[in-house]
Amino acid sequence: ENDDEDRPIYNPLNLPLGWDGKPIPFWLYKLHGLGIEYKCEICGNYSYWGRRAFEKHFSEWRHAYGMKCLKIPNTAHFKEITKIEDAIVLYDKLKKDAEDQTFRPDQDVECEDIQGNVMSQRAFEDLRRQGLI
């Protein structure tokens, strides 16, 4: 009566087990791409089998810890980045871009004289000190 439950499950392809404890069908295995291995260098060369598991791992603790060790924030910019060097290069580029976007009062403030000429505040102050404006 319990012979089906007691004997080992025949699984020559070493397919993952489904919710019922039996191997999933081969077509489902291929459909989900579970035969494709994705490695992440940031996670310590950990392997993820299937696209879904790979995409999900970017929000999990192992990837977040790897990014923290590199002193890089784990933001959406770094999705699909698996190589340490690529992450560092991208982070440096993002820092440089953010630095270029920051407001610098000495260069970004513009002033207009009575005649309608627009110039930087520094140039305006220099001309005013010289008495030309």
Side-chain angles (χ1 to χ4, degrees), residues 114-128:
I114 297 170
Q115 298 168 344
N117 299 321
V118 178
M119 59 196 84
S120 68
Q121 185 177 13
R122 185 175 179 183
F124 182 79
E125 294 297 327
D126 289 343
L127 290 172
R128 194 166 54 87

Side-chain angles (χ1 to χ4, degrees), residues 51-120:
R51 185 76 191 168
R52 184 172 178 222
F54 175 69
E55 287 178 1
K56 199 169 131 186
H57 102 275
F58 288 105
S59 60
E60 292 176 349
W61 68 270
R62 182 178 282 118
H63 193 81
Y65 180 73
M67 294 292 276
K68 185 178 175 184
C69 289
L70 295 172
K71 295 181 174 63
I72 298 175
N74 192 19
T75 60
H77 297 100
F78 298 96
K79 193 167 172 72
E80 304 290 327
I81 302 291
T82 59
K83 301 257 185 278
I84 292 172
E85 188 171 333
D86 293 347
I88 292 170
V89 168
L90 179 59
Y91 184 56
D92 290 340
K93 183 184 179 305
L94 289 172
K95 279 198 304 190
K96 185 181 173 294
D97 289 350
E99 195 175 285
D100 292 345
Q101 294 291 327
T102 56
F103 179 73
R104 294 177 302 275
D106 56 327
Q107 296 172 357
D108 295 340
V109 175
E110 294 182 338
C111 296
E112 185 177 348
D113 65 3
I114 297 170
Q115 298 168 344
N117 299 321
V118 178
M119 59 196 84
S120 68

Side-chain angles (χ1 to χ4, degrees), residues 20-72:
D20 57 354
K22 295 178 182 171
I24 65 170
F26 187 69
W27 65 267
L28 191 61
Y29 175 82
K30 294 294 274 182
L31 178 71
H32 289 296
L34 298 176
I36 301 171
E37 178 184 21
Y38 298 92
K39 280 193 177 281
C40 183
E41 194 177 291
I42 294 170
C43 299
N45 286 327
Y46 196 82
S47 295
Y48 297 93
W49 293 92
R51 185 76 191 168
R52 184 172 178 222
F54 175 69
E55 287 178 1
K56 199 169 131 186
H57 102 275
F58 288 105
S59 60
E60 292 176 349
W61 68 270
R62 182 178 282 118
H63 193 81
Y65 180 73
M67 294 292 276
K68 185 178 175 184
C69 289
L70 295 172
K71 295 181 174 63
I72 298 175

Side-chain angles (χ1 to χ4, degrees), residues 4-5 7-11 14-25 28:
D4 283 347
E5 294 173 12
R7 71 184 149 127
I9 297 170
Y10 179 68
N11 191 2
N14 201 19
L15 298 172
L17 302 178
W19 59 270
D20 57 354
K22 295 178 182 171
I24 65 170
L28 191 61

